[in-house]
Protein backbone atom coordinates (compact mmCIF):
# COMPACT_ATOMS: atom_id res chain seq x y z
CA UNK A 1 0.00 0.00 0.00
CA UNK A 2 2.66 2.48 1.16
CA UNK A 3 2.52 6.22 1.62
CA UNK A 4 -1.00 7.10 2.61
CA UNK A 5 -0.13 9.27 5.59
CA UNK A 6 3.03 11.33 5.40
CA UNK A 7 2.88 12.23 9.09
CA UNK A 8 2.71 10.00 12.15
CA UNK A 9 1.33 12.23 14.88
CA UNK A 10 -1.69 10.57 16.52
CA UNK A 11 -2.81 6.98 15.94
CA UNK A 12 -6.50 7.77 15.52
CA UNK A 13 -5.66 10.20 12.70
CA UNK A 14 -4.38 7.30 10.60
CA UNK A 15 -6.55 4.65 9.03
CA UNK A 16 -6.78 1.24 10.70
CA UNK A 17 -5.54 -0.41 7.51
CA UNK A 18 -2.36 1.69 7.68
CA UNK A 19 -1.67 0.67 11.27
CA UNK A 20 -2.29 -2.98 10.43
CA UNK A 21 0.13 -2.70 7.53
CA UNK A 22 2.76 -1.12 9.81
CA UNK A 23 2.37 -3.96 12.34
CA UNK A 24 2.70 -6.59 9.64
CA UNK A 25 5.71 -4.90 8.12
CA UNK A 26 7.31 -4.62 11.61
CA UNK A 27 6.86 -8.37 12.04
CA UNK A 28 8.73 -9.04 8.78
CA UNK A 29 11.46 -6.54 9.63
CA UNK A 30 11.94 -8.23 13.01
CA UNK A 31 12.07 -11.70 11.44
CA UNK A 32 14.85 -10.56 9.11
CA UNK A 33 16.77 -7.66 10.63
CA UNK A 34 18.95 -7.47 7.51
CA UNK A 35 16.05 -6.93 5.14
CA UNK A 36 15.36 -3.58 3.51
CA UNK A 37 18.98 -2.46 4.00
CA UNK A 38 18.61 0.02 1.12
CA UNK A 39 15.10 1.24 1.78
CA UNK A 40 16.17 4.71 2.92
CA UNK A 41 19.19 4.99 0.63
CA UNK A 42 19.96 8.68 0.11
CA UNK A 43 17.34 9.78 2.65
CA UNK A 44 18.20 11.89 5.65
CA UNK A 45 16.41 12.69 8.89
CA UNK A 46 16.60 14.94 11.90
CA UNK A 47 15.75 13.86 15.42
CA UNK A 48 14.70 17.10 17.10
CA UNK A 49 14.27 16.48 20.84
CA UNK A 50 13.60 18.81 23.76
CA UNK A 51 13.39 16.01 26.36
CA UNK A 52 15.68 13.17 27.40
CA UNK A 53 15.36 9.77 25.73
CA UNK A 54 17.05 6.38 25.75
CA UNK A 55 14.80 4.03 23.77
CA UNK A 56 13.22 6.43 21.28
CA UNK A 57 16.46 8.11 20.29
CA UNK A 58 18.54 4.93 19.98
CA UNK A 59 15.85 2.90 18.22
CA UNK A 60 15.17 5.66 15.67
CA UNK A 61 18.86 6.31 15.01
CA UNK A 62 19.44 2.58 14.58
CA UNK A 63 16.30 2.08 12.48
CA UNK A 64 17.36 4.81 10.07
CA UNK A 65 20.92 3.55 9.81
CA UNK A 66 19.87 -0.12 9.33
CA UNK A 67 17.54 0.97 6.51
CA UNK A 68 20.39 2.81 4.78
CA UNK A 69 19.49 6.39 5.70
CA UNK A 70 21.33 8.96 7.76
CA UNK A 71 20.26 11.14 10.65
CA UNK A 72 21.32 14.05 12.78
CA UNK A 73 20.32 14.33 16.45
CA UNK A 74 19.49 17.87 17.54
CA UNK A 75 18.86 18.98 21.08
CA UNK A 76 16.23 21.66 20.55
CA UNK A 77 17.83 23.96 23.13
CA UNK A 78 21.05 24.13 21.10
CA UNK A 79 19.23 25.22 17.93
CA UNK A 80 18.00 28.74 17.22
CA UNK A 81 14.54 27.52 18.27
CA UNK A 82 15.95 27.73 21.78
CA UNK A 83 16.65 31.45 21.18
CA UNK A 84 13.20 32.18 19.82
CA UNK A 85 13.40 31.49 16.09
CA UNK A 86 9.87 30.66 14.99
CA UNK A 87 8.64 27.13 14.46
CA UNK A 88 7.45 28.21 11.01
CA UNK A 89 10.87 29.39 9.85
CA UNK A 90 12.60 26.36 11.35
CA UNK A 91 10.16 23.92 9.74
CA UNK A 92 10.45 25.57 6.33
CA UNK A 93 14.26 25.55 6.46
CA UNK A 94 14.63 21.97 7.71
CA UNK A 95 12.14 20.79 5.07
CA UNK A 96 14.72 21.82 2.46
CA UNK A 97 17.48 19.73 4.04
CA UNK A 98 15.98 16.37 5.01
CA UNK A 99 13.21 13.88 4.20
CA UNK A 100 11.66 13.63 7.65
CA UNK A 101 11.83 15.00 11.18
CA UNK A 102 11.24 12.95 14.30
CA UNK A 103 10.20 15.30 17.08
CA UNK A 104 10.03 14.90 20.88
CA UNK A 105 8.39 18.03 22.11
CA UNK A 106 6.90 19.15 25.42
CA UNK A 107 4.05 20.93 23.68
CA UNK A 108 1.86 18.95 21.30
CA UNK A 109 0.52 22.11 19.67
CA UNK A 110 4.06 23.09 18.68
CA UNK A 111 4.42 19.73 16.94
CA UNK A 112 1.20 20.40 15.03
CA UNK A 113 2.44 23.85 14.07
CA UNK A 114 5.72 22.31 12.91
CA UNK A 115 3.87 19.81 10.74
CA UNK A 116 1.62 22.55 9.31
CA UNK A 117 4.72 24.32 7.98
CA UNK A 118 6.64 21.22 6.87
CA UNK A 119 6.74 19.82 3.40
CA UNK A 120 8.23 16.58 4.73
CA UNK A 121 7.16 13.80 7.12
CA UNK A 122 6.81 14.63 10.79
CA UNK A 123 6.87 11.76 13.29
CA UNK A 124 5.76 12.22 16.90
CA UNK A 125 8.41 10.79 19.24
CA UNK A 126 6.36 11.81 22.33
CA UNK A 127 4.57 14.97 23.32
CA UNK A 128 2.71 15.93 26.47
CA UNK A 129 -0.38 14.52 24.75
CA UNK A 130 0.64 11.32 23.00
CA UNK A 131 3.26 8.68 22.25
CA UNK A 132 2.09 6.83 19.14
CA UNK A 133 5.34 4.99 18.28
CA UNK A 134 5.30 3.47 21.77
CA UNK A 135 1.77 2.13 21.51
CA UNK A 136 2.51 0.59 18.09
CA UNK A 137 5.35 -1.34 19.77
CA UNK A 138 2.98 -2.31 22.58
CA UNK A 139 0.38 -3.57 20.10
CA UNK A 140 3.11 -5.55 18.32
CA UNK A 141 4.08 -7.09 21.67
CA UNK A 142 0.45 -8.02 22.42
CA UNK A 143 0.22 -9.70 19.01
CA UNK A 144 3.40 -11.67 19.66
CA UNK A 145 2.16 -12.79 23.08
CA UNK A 146 -1.44 -13.64 22.20
CA UNK A 147 -1.42 -14.12 18.41
CA UNK A 148 -4.05 -11.40 18.03
CA UNK A 149 -5.11 -8.07 19.48
CA UNK A 150 -8.79 -8.70 18.82
CA UNK A 151 -10.87 -9.56 21.85
CA UNK A 152 -8.10 -8.85 24.38
CA UNK A 153 -8.76 -6.99 27.62
CA UNK A 154 -6.11 -4.41 28.42
CA UNK A 155 -6.12 -2.84 31.89
CA UNK A 156 -4.38 0.50 32.30
CA UNK A 157 -3.55 1.27 35.95
CA UNK A 158 -2.30 4.70 37.05
CA UNK A 159 -1.88 8.18 35.63
CA UNK A 160 -4.05 9.48 32.76
CA UNK A 161 -0.99 10.68 30.88
CA UNK A 162 0.27 10.87 27.28
CA UNK A 163 0.72 7.09 27.07
CA UNK A 164 -2.78 6.48 28.50
CA UNK A 165 -4.18 8.94 25.93
CA UNK A 166 -2.56 6.98 23.13
CA UNK A 167 -4.00 3.68 24.38
CA UNK A 168 -7.42 5.37 24.18
CA UNK A 169 -6.71 6.57 20.64
CA UNK A 170 -5.56 3.05 19.65
CA UNK A 171 -8.58 1.36 21.12
CA UNK A 172 -10.90 3.34 18.85
CA UNK A 173 -9.26 1.56 15.90
CA UNK A 174 -8.45 -1.91 17.22
CA UNK A 175 -10.83 -4.47 18.69
CA UNK A 176 -9.51 -4.71 22.23
CA UNK A 177 -11.29 -3.63 25.39
CA UNK A 178 -9.55 -0.95 27.44
CA UNK A 179 -10.39 -0.82 31.15
CA UNK A 180 -8.61 2.03 32.87
CA UNK A 181 -8.21 2.62 36.60
CA UNK A 182 -7.21 6.27 36.92
CA UNK A 183 -7.74 8.55 39.93
CA UNK A 184 -10.35 11.27 39.32
CA UNK A 185 -7.66 13.96 39.71
CA UNK A 186 -5.65 12.58 36.80
CA UNK A 187 -8.17 11.42 34.24
CA UNK A 188 -7.31 12.51 30.66
CA UNK A 189 -8.32 15.94 29.34
CA UNK A 190 -11.71 16.59 27.75
CA UNK A 191 -10.74 16.00 24.12
CA UNK A 192 -9.45 12.53 24.97
CA UNK A 193 -12.35 11.81 27.33
CA UNK A 194 -14.72 12.68 24.51
CA UNK A 195 -13.05 10.01 22.37
CA UNK A 196 -13.31 7.54 25.28
CA UNK A 197 -16.98 8.36 25.92
CA UNK A 198 -17.91 7.61 22.32
CA UNK A 199 -16.42 4.12 22.50
CA UNK A 200 -18.15 1.18 24.14
CA UNK A 201 -14.71 -0.50 24.30
CA UNK A 202 -13.29 1.99 26.83
CA UNK A 203 -14.17 2.17 30.50
CA UNK A 204 -12.57 4.57 32.99
CA UNK A 205 -13.03 3.83 36.68
CA UNK A 206 -11.43 4.35 40.09
CA UNK A 207 -12.12 0.73 40.99
CA UNK A 208 -8.91 -1.20 40.33
CA UNK A 209 -10.52 -4.62 40.82
CA UNK A 210 -13.13 -3.78 38.16
CA UNK A 211 -10.44 -2.61 35.73
CA UNK A 212 -8.26 -5.72 36.06
CA UNK A 213 -11.09 -8.27 35.93
CA UNK A 214 -10.27 -10.94 33.31
CA UNK A 215 -7.42 -8.75 31.97
CA UNK A 216 -4.98 -10.24 29.48
CA UNK A 217 -2.56 -7.38 29.95
CA UNK A 218 -1.81 -4.98 32.80
CA UNK A 219 -0.10 -1.81 31.67
CA UNK A 220 1.17 1.17 33.59
CA UNK A 221 3.61 4.05 33.27
CA UNK A 222 5.50 6.45 35.49
CA UNK A 223 3.38 8.55 37.85
CA UNK A 224 5.46 11.61 36.97
CA UNK A 225 5.92 12.33 33.31
CA UNK A 226 8.63 14.55 31.87
CA UNK A 227 6.14 17.36 31.33
CA UNK A 228 4.63 17.23 34.81
CA UNK A 229 4.94 20.06 37.29
CA UNK A 230 7.67 19.10 39.79
CA UNK A 231 5.77 20.97 42.53
CA UNK A 232 2.95 18.44 42.19
CA UNK A 233 5.32 15.50 42.75
CA UNK A 234 4.48 14.55 46.36
CA UNK A 235 0.72 15.14 45.96
CA UNK A 236 0.63 13.04 42.80
CA UNK A 237 2.60 10.16 44.32
CA UNK A 238 0.31 10.16 47.34
CA UNK A 239 -2.84 10.02 45.22
CA UNK A 240 -1.47 7.35 42.88
CA UNK A 241 -0.01 5.23 45.68
CA UNK A 242 -2.87 2.75 45.74
CA UNK A 243 -2.59 2.25 41.97
CA UNK A 244 0.72 0.40 42.26
CA UNK A 245 1.07 -2.73 40.10
CA UNK A 246 2.39 -5.32 42.57
CA UNK A 247 2.17 -9.01 43.41
CA UNK A 248 -1.17 -8.62 45.17
CA UNK A 249 -2.68 -7.06 42.06
CA UNK A 250 -1.18 -9.73 39.82
CA UNK A 251 -2.57 -12.46 42.09
CA UNK A 252 -6.06 -11.34 40.98
CA UNK A 253 -5.56 -11.55 37.21
CA UNK A 254 -5.64 -14.59 34.92
CA UNK A 255 -2.55 -16.80 35.02
CA UNK A 256 -1.50 -15.88 31.48
CA UNK A 257 -1.94 -12.11 31.88
CA UNK A 258 1.18 -10.14 30.95
CA UNK A 259 2.71 -6.92 32.22
CA UNK A 260 3.74 -4.02 29.96
CA UNK A 261 5.46 -0.71 30.75
CA UNK A 262 6.92 1.68 28.17
CA UNK A 263 9.92 2.39 30.46
CA UNK A 264 11.66 4.13 32.10
CA UNK A 265 10.08 2.58 35.22
CA UNK A 266 10.20 3.99 38.70
CA UNK A 267 10.58 0.73 40.55
CA UNK A 268 8.81 0.81 43.91
CA UNK A 269 6.35 3.45 42.72
CA UNK A 270 4.05 2.44 39.84
CA UNK A 271 5.47 -1.10 39.70
CA UNK A 272 7.39 -3.36 42.06
CA UNK A 273 10.51 -5.40 41.20
CA UNK A 274 8.49 -8.57 41.83
CA UNK A 275 6.25 -7.73 38.86
CA UNK A 276 8.60 -6.03 36.41
CA UNK A 277 11.27 -8.73 36.88
CA UNK A 278 8.77 -11.62 36.75
CA UNK A 279 8.20 -13.92 33.80
CA UNK A 280 4.85 -12.16 33.24
CA UNK A 281 6.72 -8.99 32.30
CA UNK A 282 7.45 -8.31 28.60
CA UNK A 283 8.99 -4.87 29.02
CA UNK A 284 12.29 -5.58 27.27
CA UNK A 285 10.53 -7.25 24.33
CA UNK A 286 8.34 -4.15 24.18
CA UNK A 287 11.43 -1.89 24.13
CA UNK A 288 13.05 -3.99 21.39
CA UNK A 289 9.89 -3.75 19.31
CA UNK A 290 10.32 0.04 19.17
CA UNK A 291 13.13 -0.58 16.67
CA UNK A 292 11.12 -2.85 14.38
CA UNK A 293 7.90 -0.86 14.51
CA UNK A 294 9.69 2.44 13.85
CA UNK A 295 11.40 0.95 10.80
CA UNK A 296 7.90 0.05 9.62
CA UNK A 297 6.61 3.56 10.36
CA UNK A 298 9.46 5.07 8.33
CA UNK A 299 8.76 2.62 5.52
CA UNK A 300 5.12 3.65 5.55
CA UNK A 301 5.51 7.43 5.76
CA UNK A 302 8.54 8.09 3.59
CA UNK A 303 7.95 7.90 -0.17
CA UNK A 304 10.49 5.87 -2.18
N1 LIG B 1 9.55 4.62 26.22
C1 LIG B 1 10.29 5.67 25.79
O1 LIG B 1 9.87 6.48 24.97
O2 LIG B 1 11.53 5.71 26.34
P1 LIG B 1 12.58 6.89 26.18
O3 LIG B 1 12.06 8.07 26.94
O4 LIG B 1 13.83 6.33 26.78
O5 LIG B 1 12.75 7.22 24.73
N1 LIG C 1 4.68 9.32 30.35
C1 LIG C 1 6.12 9.31 30.26
C2 LIG C 1 6.54 8.41 29.14
C3 LIG C 1 8.05 8.29 29.00
C4 LIG C 1 8.44 7.44 27.82
C5 LIG C 1 6.62 10.72 30.06
O1 LIG C 1 6.02 11.47 29.26
O2 LIG C 1 7.60 11.10 30.69
Amino acid sequence: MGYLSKNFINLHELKKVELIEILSSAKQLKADRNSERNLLDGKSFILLFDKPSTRTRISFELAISELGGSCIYLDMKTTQLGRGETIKDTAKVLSRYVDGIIIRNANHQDLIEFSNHSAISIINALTNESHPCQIMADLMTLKECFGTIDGLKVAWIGDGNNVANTWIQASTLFDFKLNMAIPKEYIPKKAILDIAKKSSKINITQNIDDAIKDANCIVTDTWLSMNDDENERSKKIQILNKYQVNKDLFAKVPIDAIFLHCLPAHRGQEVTDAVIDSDRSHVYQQAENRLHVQKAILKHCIPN
Side-chain angles (χ1 to χ4, degrees), residues 126 131 161-163 221-222 225-226 262-264:
L126 182 147
H131 198 4
N161 64 12
N162 46 2
V163 176
D221 184 17
T222 178
S225 284
M226 291 182 273
C262 65
L263 304 180

Side-chain angles (χ1 to χ4, degrees), residues 52-57 104 131 134 226 262-264 290:
S53 169
T54 299
R55 282 142 288 267
T56 309
R57 176 180 175 179
R104 172 166 284 198
H131 198 4
Q134 179 65 55
M226 291 182 273
C262 65
L263 304 180
R290 297 291 304 277

